[in-house]
Amino acid sequence: MNLEKILLKNATVYDGLGSDSFISDILIESGIIKEIGKIENMDCEIIDIKGNAISPGFIDVHSHDDIALIVYPEMDFKVMQGVTTVINGNCGNNVIPRYGTIERWQTRYPKSSLPQWNSYREYIDLINDIKPSVNSAFMIGHGSVRNGCGLKNEERNPSNSEFDQMKGWIREGMEAGAVGFSTGLIYEPGRYSSTDEIIELTKEISEFSGVYASHMRNEGSNLLLSIEETLNIGDKSETSVEISHHKISGKNNWGLSNDSIEMIHHAIDKGMNVNSDQYPYIAGQSALFAIHQNNAFTDGDGGLGKVDGDKVIIAHSPLTSNYEGKKLSQICDDFDLDEQQAAEKLLSEDPHILAIIETMCEEDLTNILSDQYTMIGSDGVPASGSNPHPRLYGCFPRVLGKYAREEKIISLETAIYKMTGLPSKKFNLNDRGTIEVGKSADLVIFDPETINDVATYENPKQYPEGIIHVLVNGSFVVKNSKHTGKKPGKIIPRS
Ligand SMILES: [Zn+2]
């Protein structure tokens, strides 16, 4: 039998471009889609898809798997939901220079000893040697390079030599194949940088057609000012823009999605390339330190709006794991403290706590999801021994099940386009994201009638229903809804 070939029969094909689906067979040879159409049986592995859906593998544009690729190379939480490529380096955090970023990553995996790397090339070689189950691309993190040049938590502009150092890393990253540059402007050290600093740094990625992705300064009462800043950075640096996890945070601000979407459309009408990404949940996840620092438990005038204690769940608390899974309101009762005091007590015991916070509403969520320029990104944060946000396990099936099939907010074709063809174009991953002859065989086969997320806030580590097979570079990483243990993934450079 020819082991280089796989024939998938009787599939309902969704091409990733939003076109109407059609019934077809697909032949894969040596990891590439070789033929689409009616294909006679041949001497190779033949799988009957039985009319189920086949689409390009999902591209998770908002991932934080930079180190998870090393610690959990099977990447089960992603491939079991149909993700075949993760885009890392979001919210200002990537991996270079290692000393500027490793402390933060180590807190997520306190028991793992992480290997050395000294450059983007070495990080790429490391991941390609490990061969995770999923492909990955990466962005350069502003926070990482700002920390790296000695500006950790320094509330001042960089000197000329510090600028040169940061630009050097950004250029090195782009030359190594990075797809963009990201900021995290509610976090340290991003929050201390001026718009001009970011414009000057973002100019470095323009000639490489990189994407500027931003976790903006404010997603609450000053959301529209933040969108204006982000668009201004893209305009001045002549760069494609991505608004990370587009949301409206804080009850007083609900409804602002009409205005934020209008601003995006206006910029596009003027000729800019702008998109946003979104996860399909009304709760987010962030560092408790940052939630507290942004006044979410007092006046709510920071980047997240005001957050109530019964809408906060402790997700990851490496030094005090007994708090994991508890609501902040419960901890307040236990210690007879108000929310601000309880958060301060928790942070004094463990400064690296991650918390799930419910601050959004369904109307804004579906409004943003319906926008043609919105892509899907899980923003899942893998960490050892934690109670993660369920988006880490369920993001993509939730869009396909709850929001496309059940609530009919968008069609199945459109939902798939937002996870495949749109992100591959945005990030210049031209070999992926569509089902066409000659493209890499990153594919997902699922049952459109049953696909659904199963992960909940109470019990998040649950694989979704309805994902049948997943192929990465032509190899089955999921077969009959089970992880095969295969690890055919690699770093994909910008094309
Ligand atoms: Zn973020």
Side-chain angles (χ1 to χ4, degrees), residues 62 91 187 215 245 379:
H62 196 109
C91 304
Y187 298 116
H215 179 155
H245 38 60
D379 199 10

Short mmCIF file of all heavy atoms in Angstrom, two decimals, residues 62 91 187 215 245 379, ligand 1:
data_model
loop_
_atom_site.label_atom_id
_atom_site.label_comp_id
_atom_site.label_asym_id
_atom_site.label_seq_id
_atom_site.Cartn_x
_atom_site.Cartn_y
_atom_site.Cartn_z
N HIS A 62 -4.97 33.86 17.86
CA HIS A 62 -4.60 34.48 19.14
C HIS A 62 -4.24 33.39 20.15
O HIS A 62 -5.05 32.96 20.95
CB HIS A 62 -5.73 35.36 19.67
CG HIS A 62 -5.26 36.30 20.73
ND1 HIS A 62 -5.14 37.66 20.54
CD2 HIS A 62 -4.80 36.06 21.98
CE1 HIS A 62 -4.65 38.21 21.64
NE2 HIS A 62 -4.45 37.26 22.53
N CYS A 91 -0.19 39.74 22.63
CA CYS A 91 -0.29 40.60 23.81
C CYS A 91 1.08 41.05 24.33
O CYS A 91 1.26 41.25 25.54
CB CYS A 91 -1.10 39.91 24.93
SG CYS A 91 -2.74 39.40 24.41
N TYR A 187 -0.60 45.91 30.22
CA TYR A 187 0.37 45.19 31.07
C TYR A 187 1.67 45.96 31.23
O TYR A 187 2.00 46.81 30.41
CB TYR A 187 0.71 43.83 30.42
CG TYR A 187 -0.46 42.90 30.27
CD1 TYR A 187 -0.90 42.51 29.01
CD2 TYR A 187 -1.11 42.41 31.39
CE1 TYR A 187 -1.97 41.64 28.87
CE2 TYR A 187 -2.19 41.54 31.25
CZ TYR A 187 -2.61 41.16 30.00
OH TYR A 187 -3.68 40.31 29.87
N HIS A 215 -3.17 44.16 22.06
CA HIS A 215 -4.05 44.15 23.22
C HIS A 215 -4.02 45.60 23.70
O HIS A 215 -3.02 46.06 24.25
CB HIS A 215 -3.51 43.19 24.28
CG HIS A 215 -4.35 43.13 25.52
ND1 HIS A 215 -4.37 42.03 26.35
CD2 HIS A 215 -5.20 44.03 26.08
CE1 HIS A 215 -5.20 42.26 27.35
NE2 HIS A 215 -5.71 43.46 27.22
N HIS A 245 -8.48 40.29 20.62
CA HIS A 245 -9.68 39.99 21.42
C HIS A 245 -10.61 41.19 21.55
O HIS A 245 -10.85 41.71 22.64
CB HIS A 245 -9.34 39.39 22.79
CG HIS A 245 -8.13 39.96 23.46
ND1 HIS A 245 -8.01 41.28 23.79
CD2 HIS A 245 -6.97 39.37 23.86
CE1 HIS A 245 -6.85 41.48 24.38
NE2 HIS A 245 -6.20 40.34 24.42
N ASP A 379 -7.26 32.89 22.46
CA ASP A 379 -6.65 33.56 23.61
C ASP A 379 -6.50 32.59 24.79
O ASP A 379 -6.43 33.00 25.93
CB ASP A 379 -7.47 34.80 24.02
CG ASP A 379 -6.67 35.78 24.86
OD1 ASP A 379 -5.44 35.62 24.98
OD2 ASP A 379 -7.30 36.70 25.43
ZN ZN B 1 -4.40 39.98 25.51
#
